[in-house]
Amino acid sequence: MILGIETSCDETAAALVTEEGEIRASVVASQAELHARYGGVVPEVASRRHLELVTPVIRETLGVAGATLDDVDRIAVTQGPGLIGALLVGLAAAKALAWSRRLPLVPVDHLDGHVASLYLQPEPLEPPFLCLLASGGHTMLLDVRSHTERELLGTTLDDAAGEAFDKGARLLGLGYPGGREIDRLAQDGDPAAYAFPVARVPGLDFSFSGLKTALLYAVRDLGEEELAERRADLAASYQHAIVRALVERTQEAARQAGRDRIAIVGGVAANSELRASLPAAIAAPLSLCTDNAAMIASAARWTEPVAYPRYLALDAYASR
Ligand code: KG4
Ligand code: ZN
């Protein structure tokens, strides 16, 4: 069994996954409430909380699976990208556990992890496919050719799609994390109420910063009472603009790459309008869309392990 550990942002997560991709246990301790009052993740607060949570979360994971460390064959951990202080907590925990048991350690790229969420049981997807990876930190179109080969076809020139959701939610006075809040509120709104512009950048890239400014102006023009009345319409229209941009570019990328299957991963893949707009797309279950450690353990199945004790020298990376 592979023990996965993920601490790249504000979720402390551990999971036990078999070589065949069966999840025996997956525990996610979200710190969202802790950061909500600041309207976003505070890196230093996240690191400290990871430090408190990482051991209990790993212990609980073993408990859920009815396993002990004797059942673990290798340890997988997110090496980057993410918040450097947060990553270091998971990496140090993984090194300590692996070293104490003389186990190999597998350093996993967080983005490989999101893609590998599709390779888990009960319905593992087989490459090739076109993948939209949309999270709080990244928006990427990937031509996934095999478990180990992929080509980046497009990315965002400014904000990530999840970041656009989070910033929009803030402008609308909604809680953090904002994507889920906008998604919920949009159900009661009219997506055609406001015509928010979607930047048309060349190629298969995205740009979301202009959209955010358009929302800012729309909100500014309204009084407090009016805003309360129009909030659902604003959320629905704003979400619609983001989803339209994602869907158009994803379909275009699939056409260009000659892929007939589209998969969506990352936190934004949990969005109900996105899922409805790409009905044929393959999406991981909601719990595997947002950050978790099962996807990290899954990716480790195709990542070269580092032997004992060489991994003690590994460092985390904030960006690629
Ligand atoms: O993949 P993830 O959990 O963490 C990163 O790697 O960033 O993605 C988090 C992002 C946040 O920006 C959050 O607002 C967004 O995913 N998100 C959503 C939804 N659920 C989470 N965005 C839109 N609709 C949702 N239902
Ligand atoms: Zn993520």
Side-chain angles (χ1 to χ4, degrees), residues 11 23 36 45 62 106 115 118 145 168 207 216 226 232 249 258 265:
E11 261 100 25
I23 304 173
V45 173
L62 291 167
V106 194
V115 175
L118 297 162
R145 296 190 180 138
S207 168
L216 173 70
E226 268 179 312
R249 288 284 143 108
V265 298

Side-chain angles (χ1 to χ4, degrees), residues 81-257:
L83 302 171
I84 197 73
L87 288 161
L88 284 171
V89 175
L91 185 59
K95 282 179 184 177
L97 275 178
W99 178 81
S100 70
R101 297 256 153 187
R102 308 291 189 263
L103 293 173
L105 185 145
V106 194
V108 172
D109 186 279
H110 185 77
L111 305 177
D112 285 335
H114 273 301
V115 175
S117 67
L118 297 162
Y119 304 146
L120 288 159
Q121 301 279 1
E123 285 176 80
L125 182 64
E126 281 296 312
F129 54 87
L130 191 285
C131 185
L132 167 68
L133 190 169
S135 70
H138 299 89
T139 309
M140 295 178 165
L141 286 166
L142 302 166
D143 182 26
V144 180
R145 296 190 180 138
S146 73
H147 287 117
T148 53
E149 295 161 289
R150 53 180 162 80
E151 189 190 345
L152 180 67
L153 301 177
T155 187
T156 181
L157 303 178
D158 38 60
D159 292 347
E163 201 177 352
F165 270 107
D166 294 337
K167 287 179 176 171
R170 209 161 159 174
L171 290 171
L172 291 172
L174 304 172
Y176 169 85
R180 215 176 39 201
E181 299 288 320
I182 290 192
D183 195 348
R184 196 176 303 151
L185 188 61
Q187 321 266 343
D188 306 322
D190 175 8
Y194 290 84
F196 287 126
V198 184
R200 297 218 153 262
V201 289
L204 291 169
D205 289 332
F206 300 92
S207 168
F208 293 109
S209 62
L211 183 60
K212 186 186 58 196
T213 310
L215 179 65
L216 173 70
Y217 291 151
V219 169
R220 214 188 253 168
D221 290 343
L222 299 173
E224 215 162 285
E225 236 168 78
E226 268 179 312
L227 175 60
E229 264 168 42
R230 307 294 317 263
R231 194 175 272 128
D233 284 344
L234 284 162
S237 304
Y238 187 73
Q239 171 176 285
H240 187 61
I242 297 174
V243 168
R244 209 172 57 216
L246 293 174
V247 168
E248 277 173 11
R249 288 284 143 108
T250 302
Q251 286 171 336
E252 178 56 27
R255 247 193 311 276
Q256 286 185 21

Side-chain angles (χ1 to χ4, degrees), residues 63-87:
V64 169
T68 71
L69 284 175
D70 290 337
D71 302 309
V72 175
D73 301 298
R74 57 195 197 280
I75 295 181
V77 63
T78 307
Q79 190 183 11
L83 302 171
I84 197 73
L87 288 161

Side-chain angles (χ1 to χ4, degrees), residues 6 8-9 110-111 114 133 135-138 266-267 289-292 295:
E6 150 68 39
S8 68
C9 191
H110 185 77
L111 305 177
H114 273 301
L133 190 169
S135 70
H138 299 89
C289 286
T290 45
D291 287 349
N292 64 88
M295 68 185 197

